[in-house]
Amino acid sequence: MGDIVTMDDLTNQEIVAVLDDAERLVPVARGDVYLPLLQGKVLANMFFENSTRTRMSFETAMKRLGGSVLNFTSIGTSVAKGETLYDTMQMIDGYADVAAIRHPRQGAAQYSADAVEIPILNAGDGAGNHPTQTMLDLFTIRQAHGTLEGLNVVLVGDLRYGRTVHSLSHALVRFGAKLTLVSPSTLKMPVEIVSDLREHGSEIMETESLEDQIAGADVIYVTRIQKERFPDEDEYAKVAGIYKIEASDLSGAMKGMIIMHPLPRVDEIDPGVDSTEFARYFEQAFNGVPTRMALLCRSLGIDVPKKVK
Ligand code: CP
């Protein structure tokens, strides 16, 4: 019921309601207001794969709302002794009220959701989905443009293995976005995802060149080439560093255009871009806190007050 495994688990109306909740929770996320909505609740942060932002923003979200957190990683736990994901999740079902799970295997979040009673939030499953990232991405886009409707969004980089763009593209077309998919031919968005996007009636263009797409974009969403998912290091070497945005590339960009990145970045965005009016990736990372607060409340059936003070 409270699971969020893919963006299909939320209707458009629910997405907007969560974003509205998140907006009201910003002062709580910043620590300016104390609102212990989740006092007595326990979040299990189940990270079988590395993370900085997702794990820590879930933890901050839970703690700022008065709840507590169990942090789990593959290292230092009985996973090293061969314990299965199924058995591990059975323990968590008894120890926590809600779990965020990140796993290198696509489908692991759905598997976990099927295995336990507590709500499961997919914090990234292999090259599959990353719906809570999408929610903070949508929050950031709406904050900048005042709407999610009908934007021109350019997705750049590793569209094959990048789970953030899989979830985000799906959500954006549901709000009528026009998408331009920029990637090397070996890292194109999987065909089944492109078909799904087109089924929503959206205009989808695929290209290898970023340069021509900058001037018309409302949002440029840049992703890292996912080195860890390549079966062959030589294949990675062929595409490493293929896109690199520098401040001078943005002279023709529209006013109000934003550059986003789920982070971590390697070399896709030159640090010189950070001080331009276009850079939004650090605010985007902060937005993980109020957005995940709102998602935790939703999964635990707790209403966010209409006025937060
Ligand atoms: N955006 C994101 O998922 O970052 P982490 O891998 O650091 O959690």
Side-chain angles (χ1 to χ4, degrees):
M1 161 70 193
D3 298 329
I4 303 177
V5 175
T6 74
M7 288 307 291
D8 278 333
D9 291 318
L10 295 166
T11 64
N12 282 18
Q13 208 175 6
E14 285 171 323
I15 290 172
V16 171
V18 170
L19 299 185
D20 290 345
D21 286 348
E23 208 165 278
R24 296 197 303 285
L25 287 168
V26 168
V28 186
R30 291 199 189 286
D32 295 336
V33 172
Y34 183 57
L35 185 66
L37 290 177
L38 300 185
Q39 198 159 32
K41 300 291 185 190
V42 177
L43 163 70
N45 247 345
M46 307 295 295
F47 280 71
F48 295 82
E49 195 180 60
N50 294 340
S51 169
T52 297
R53 279 146 293 276
T54 310
R55 188 179 66 73
M56 293 180 75
S57 61
F58 261 120
E59 183 161 359
T60 304
M62 197 66 188
K63 289 182 171 172
R64 293 274 199 219
L65 289 173
S68 48
V69 181
L70 301 175
N71 270 308
F72 173 99
T73 64
S74 305
I75 300 162
T77 60
S78 290
V79 170
K81 301 174 199 162
E83 188 159 34
T84 63
L85 177 59
Y86 181 86
D87 284 3
T88 304
M89 293 311 293
Q90 296 310 307
M91 301 310 111
I92 296 312
D93 213 11
Y95 299 160
D97 301 294
V98 58
I101 178 166
R102 168 166 296 188
H103 200 283
R105 204 168 68 230
Q106 194 167 335
Q110 186 62 62
Y111 178 83
S112 300
D114 293 341
V116 299
E117 296 294 322
I118 61 169
I120 294 294
L121 302 175
N122 182 2
D125 61 326
N129 289 274
H130 197 348
T132 70
Q133 174 74 40
T134 290
M135 290 301 291
L136 74 92
D137 293 341
L138 296 177
F139 184 90
T140 306
I141 291 170
R142 194 177 77 159
Q143 198 175 46
H145 288 290
T147 182
L148 295 175
E149 304 285 339
L151 296 169
N152 187 6
V153 181
V154 179
L155 304 176
V156 187
D158 186 347
L159 309 185
R160 177 178 180 182
Y161 297 119
R163 57 195 171 202
T164 64
V165 283
H166 296 167
S167 294
L168 179 61
S169 58
H170 175 78
L172 285 169
V173 295
R174 285 167 48 186
F175 288 95
K178 176 186 163 206
L179 298 185
T180 305
L181 309 178
V182 181
S183 70
S185 61
T186 52
L187 297 179
K188 284 173 75 168
M189 187 75 88
V191 284
E192 64 277 13
I193 297 183
V194 176
S195 304
D196 168 67
L197 300 176
R198 291 210 164 106
E199 267 172 33
H200 283 84
S202 278
E203 199 180 319
I204 311 292
M205 192 181 96
E206 295 183 272
T207 175
E208 291 186 35
S209 164
L210 172 61
E211 203 182 333
D212 302 338
Q213 306 310 324
I214 292 174
D218 295 307
V219 176
I220 299 178
Y221 191 98
V222 187
T223 62
R224 176 178 66 89
I225 309 290
Q226 308 275 303
K227 184 179 182 184
E228 65 277 24
R229 309 224 185 276
F230 279 66
D232 180 342
E233 190 123 340
D234 291 343
E235 289 304 308
Y236 171 73
K238 285 182 196 161
V239 287
I242 190 161
Y243 301 112
K244 180 165 186 171
I245 298 182
E246 303 195 352
S248 56
D249 298 326
L250 303 173
S251 55
M254 288 198 290
K255 193 162 172 51
M257 185 277 279
I258 58 170
I259 297 185
M260 299 173 65
H261 193 308
L263 303 176
R265 67 176 152 182
V266 179
D267 53 7
E268 312 81 50
I269 301 178
D270 184 84
V273 175
D274 299 359
S275 55
T276 69
E277 67 194 87
F278 307 110
R280 274 310 155 97
Y281 26 92
F282 295 127
E283 288 95 330
Q284 181 186 355
F286 165 76
N287 288 339
V289 180
T291 307
R292 290 186 168 113
M293 283 177 163
L295 290 168
L296 286 165
C297 288
R298 178 190 177 275
S299 286
L300 290 165
I302 308 277
D303 289 335
V304 175
K306 294 297 168 207
K307 276 198 185 332
V308 173
K309 52 185 176 185

